[in-house]
Amino acid sequence: MSSQPPPRKQIVRMRVNGRWREDAVADHALLVDYLRETAGLTGTKTGCDGGECGACAVLVDGVAVPSCITLAARCDGHSVETIEGMAQGGRLHRLQKAFHEQLGAQCGFCTPGMIMAAEALLRKNPKPTEAEIRSALSGNLCRCTGYVKIVKAVQIAAEAGS
Amino acid sequence: MNASVPGTPANARRGIPLVDGVEKVTGKARYTADLDRTGALVGRIYRSPVNHAEILRLDVSRARALPGVIAVVTGDDCPHPYGVLPVAMNEYPMARDRIRYRGEPIAAVAAVDAETAEQALALIALEVRELPAYFASDEARASDAVLLHENKEGNLERAVHHAFGDIDAGFAEADLVREVSIDCAEVNHAQIEPHAALAEFDPLTGRLTMQSVSQVGYYLHLMLARCLEMDESRIRMIKPFIGGGFGARVEALNFEVITALLARVAEAKVYTELTREECFLTHRARPQTTTKLKLGMAKDGRLTACECEVIQRGGAYAGYGIVTILYAGALLQGLYRLPAVKYDGYRVYTNLPPCGAMRGHGAVNVRHTFEVLLDRMARELGLDPFDVRRANLLEAPTRTLNDLMINSYGLGECLEWVEKASGWRERRGKLAPGKGLGMACSHYVSGAAKPVHWTGEPHAVINVKLDWDGVVTVLTGAPEIGQGSSTMAVIAVAETLDIPPDWLRVICGDSEVTPKDNGAYSSRITFMVGNAAIDAARKLKGILVDAAARKLQASPDDVECAKGSFRNARSPEQVLPFIDVVREALVNEGTITVKGTFTCPPEAQGGKHRGGAVGSTMGFSYAAQVVEASIDEVTGEVTVDKVWVALDCGHAINPLAVEGQIEGSVWMGMGQALSEETRYLDGLPAHASLLEYRVPTSNESPPVDVHIVETNDPNGPFGAKEASEGALASAMPALVAAIADATGIDLDQLPVTPDRMMDALIERRRRARREATRKVAP
Amino acid sequence: MTRPIHDFRLLRPQSVDAVIEARSMHENSRIVAGGTDLIVNLRRGIGRPSVLISLDGVEEIGQTFVSPDGARIGSGVTIAAVLADRELAAKFPALAAAAMTIAGPSHRNLATVGGNLCLDTRCIYYNQSEWWRASNGYCLKHRGEVCHVAPQGDRCHAVFSGDLAPALLVHGAEVELAGSGGRRRMPLADLYREDGRAHLTLADDEILVGVHLKHESLRSGYAKVRTRKAMDFPLAGVAVALDGNVGALRALRVALTGTNSCPVLLQGTDELLGKPVDEALLKSIDKLVQRQAQPVRTTLASANYRRLAAAGLARRLTDSLATGNASVS
Ligand SMILES: Cc1cc2nc3c(=O)[nH]c(=O)nc-3n(C[C@H](O)[C@H](O)[C@H](O)COP(=O)(O)OP(=O)(O)OC[C@H]3O[C@@H](n4cnc5c(N)ncnc54)[C@H](O)[C@@H]3O)c2cc1C
Ligand code: SF4
Ligand code: FES
Ligand code: FES
């Protein structure tokens, strides 16, 4: 019923949280919209008009990227991890556990992006200093915590090991 | 296990993680944007491109004719002004006849998809006659200025004039009288979740279901009924997870009403999500404020008189404005002993997005000014800033000149802790060059003792349901927005019943299920809803004790209830598990529901003077903090190295959450002090992104050492008071004092961005040079 | 659901030649590398290219080669990869220091060297939404007639704000370009011109292939001022490279970003060679910077501040590099 024909789509294959999917995706679709609307993974959030808050951070091939300024089509053939893929075997991931227990999440809106950014850090640097943690999370804004308990949660998760 | 074992100090207890925390860390929590939107139309708002104008013609016919557009609404669809204060409703969800700020909603569309909605907006035609626009309070107050609202002379929304005590005598008694004028920029809540609403209107039943980001479902409910001319009983309000508030959502917002209007016209489900820019246009935050303050001080630091003029640039509509300007005056008091206070406040209409309530509502910029002046006067008199505060401590119980009730007062202990923890005595004046220490105090209310809408109902109601499965369900309308209110309610009930919090469930914010609640504002929930929760739990406990007594064949007076079981005090081997007692209680009764309530007594509701209810509360929280900062004299960059803060919250029901609130509020104050400000270019928000509106990142955010002081308030739930706003207002003055300590520079403007700091450094150099030449000259 | 970007086709050619061919075939096309600048702008309705040509499939530009006498950095190398390359950081310290200050960590995983060098210029009247710019009657740089920053003039003063360019300039970088006419190499400074509307000298069908650096005996550093310590473009950024010591300088190069419509390699530093690094020399640098930095009100921070901060940073960096306390950012 719309006034224009829908945009042309192409088949995109992506490994999302360990499972391959195949979807028809418009070239101008953003990864965040693909994840939230097409794949139904609403854990990834959006907090800004593009690239300014980090709420949408996901891992592409193991590194954190802002999914709100990443074209979905460019992830064709790549592996994407979101907050939904973190808890495994009925257990919270160590970062999730630490964020929960240390109150690293208040309203929780920045939390998925924050945890993904922290996960990217710990994979690269399992024993980060406080300054390294602060630097790794500096693209993820949080309005509730002042980052105090977020930093603490990442420290505790790091100590817990993988 | 227990969060708040009575008698154990907060700093030795831990508290419990949030009851809804697992959903948040797993991505399962559904915020408004995550709700099922199957079949929902996309709502979009057409906003004014001009600052101030009469609408000559608004033509939406081409938008309406576009295939895929299901509904278009304009100001004609809602002839009822609305607003959070019954005495000041002067805003329409979409402008009618008159536009008063750029970005004001004028029309809205609901379409099958976002692309179509966007195209439809481009087809709307607007013709206007522009009027002069005012972006500063003094311009708007000029005698020849066009009035934004015809009945508001001088573009003043409200002028407040209060005087208590003998002001002349006070200043006459002073050894030092000083005056400052301090300018604090407008700031914004910038909660990370953008505004969104999902409204569904069912034409078959005539019912509307509204889900949105509101902190005040009840007020929104009222305004929807008013604006849509619907019976309240036809509207259901459901609160999803909410990604922060800080006051951004404490009144019904235009996009919420618009979404509901669209849903009704479309007879469908409509989803509207605002861009970050639109969130900034919706605004409702802390106004730009100019505070002129004059204090009288005796040689020993005692305050003798206080005279204060506050001008708030309020934006285009009333909103909470009257309350904001009243708070600014009322909360001059309640922190220190003040023998005489004169207050003149002006809330000004300007052609900018409307201001509203933001964390520390009304009190923050005035407190900043007050503390900054105290610091400077202390210096002039050669007194230590801590000693000056100590010279002016109150003694609880007492009442202030403006009749605010103070029943517990822990400021002295707060001072003591931060003084020690920061090493103030040993370190101040001995830090490396470019480093300084500063301190300040602040306070805030634990809920407005008089609600905005007077109905005669209790101020808080909670229901607790207990069923055959042994689950205790707390039903509360108190909006959990991340502050931990649901967890607080669970702990209050669990502790009263002495069962593990894990045995409880909480259902929060559904008008068809949970009792009405006034909402998450003025830090009312812990105090009021907490008391109501305890009241409900006590009633439930009574029922269970009776049941246990029946089963134990003992007198209810002999039944002890502890750690989830019941026993007969006279024969302690007779123990009943909780579930057995529950089943006994249900015999002949079935599912049990009890209700707890709380009402602030009239004597807490403030003085008899006009506006006296604002500022009145059952209890104030108190905070003191020390900030250590570094100043880079080459670039003007200011770094907060560390903060020590102590807060008297009466009793920490959940110490973990209390700490989190204190850290968050201190940090938010620091953001306002360092980098946050809104700026308009000819009425356009230049700051309307999270790149230009600079919320601090983790890189420049300091470690914060928190200490909780517990004064055990006589009326608070387990002695508790508020904990999430009180520490904010002292962050800014403590930083400004630290900068003064480091550089000798007194700053009269916030935020202290690098360019402002640099200007001040240059000015200091110039002055030094001038003085040097003056000395050389004979 | 984010606001939709306009509909376009995405091409992902696999070689430089294929990119150039695609460029000449599609008139209304744009190159996208990391997209951390371009996609943000497209989301704000700045430009409506019908085709985006992504560089992510082009292997040739995705690598860095470091040799004893220099380095070649492909334009598609990410900022994160630059940061991870220790050899590069050891040889060209200013480069790593500058890379560390770009945007936020997750941006740096996408953002590329080429994108950073070809970064669009910025202005408070330009980096705004479509509604905002339309309400303001647009401006010279895009769709409009006047410049709101300097209404009397006829040029755009939008400011170049990439952090890498000054660091590369002080290391004497050359850029390699490829177009339908073949490949060419030129000094990095020649990639730019002082015009906020068209600050790149690239031909329409040309792309940046890589950056060439010669190893010289230089100490270098980069420093930038901004309001936040992450996620903030430079209000002023300064790179300094020098050889020699406090007694006498053998080489001195200073470059600026965030002050003009293009990065500025400071002229006149040669006259300071052979002189001791003392207050007089630092004052001369200060003067040179203040004269050649030409900030105007394209940011909310005052232009004067940006000029003074640039000068202050240049002095401090020069001093600390000369005394051996090489400071990073
Ligand atoms: C919140 C935020 C903060 C930021 N902060 C900074 C900062 O502090 N410092 C900074 O420097 N940048 C900053 N940026 C901008 C940007 O992230 C970086 O400059 C980045 O390096 C751009 O690279 P890219 O590959 O993502 O560029 P793209 O967005 O892909 O491209 C940018 C431009 O360059 C062109 N282009 C790209 N590659 C080539 C090529 N090989 N040949 C010809 N043209 C090409 C594109 O057509 C486009 O016009 C920030 C961005 C955001 C969103
Ligand atoms: S400098 Fe002038 S022309 Fe250039 S972007 Fe800014 S306002 Fe537009
Ligand atoms: S949503 Fe803000 S960075 Fe992606
Ligand atoms: S927890 Fe609310 S934004 Fe981070």
Side-chain angles (χ1 to χ4, degrees), chain B residues 37 44 47-49 103 114-115 273 275 277-278 632 634-635 637 639 675 679 681 684-686 690-692 694-695 699-700 754-755 758 762, chain C residues 1-4 44 122 124-125 128-129 131-132 135-136 224-233 297 300-302 305 308-309 312-313 316:
Chain B
R37 299 203 299 270
R44 289 266 333 243
R47 293 177 182 276
S48 168
E115 286 84 357
E273 183 178 315
T275 61
E277 176 182 69
E278 289 180 289
D632 182 333
V634 172
T635 62
E637 287 163 303
T639 308
S675 57
R679 288 211 239 177
L681 298 171
L684 280 166
L690 291 176
L691 188 63
E692 291 296 340
R694 290 177 170 82
V695 167
N699 267 353
E700 62 274 5
D755 51 330
M758 182 85 115
I762 292 169
Chain C
M1 162 197 48
T2 60
R3 294 297 150 92
R44 299 208 181 357
R122 302 183 61 80
I124 196 70
Y125 292 93
Q128 300 288 358
S129 74
W131 170 80
W132 202 106
S135 303
N136 204 35
K224 119 190 206 189
V225 285
R226 44 184 168 171
T227 307
R228 297 188 294 197
K229 293 187 170 65
M231 305 282 277
D232 235 349
F233 286 93
R297 293 226 65 169
L300 291 174
S302 76
Y305 169 73
L308 294 175
L313 289 179
R316 179 153 75 190

Side-chain angles (χ1 to χ4, degrees), chain A residues 51, chain C residues 30-31 33-38 103 112 116 163 208 224 232-233:
Chain C
R30 289 292 296 273
I31 299 284
T36 60
D37 181 45
L38 185 78
T112 65
N116 197 268
D163 283 304
L208 180 63
K224 119 190 206 189
D232 235 349
F233 286 93

Side-chain angles (χ1 to χ4, degrees), chain B residues 701-722:
Chain B
S701 300
V704 180
D705 274 10
V706 173
H707 180 77
I708 299 171
V709 168
E710 296 185 305
T711 46
N712 209 359
D713 188 87
N715 302 306
F718 306 129
K721 302 184 287 190
E722 86 87 31

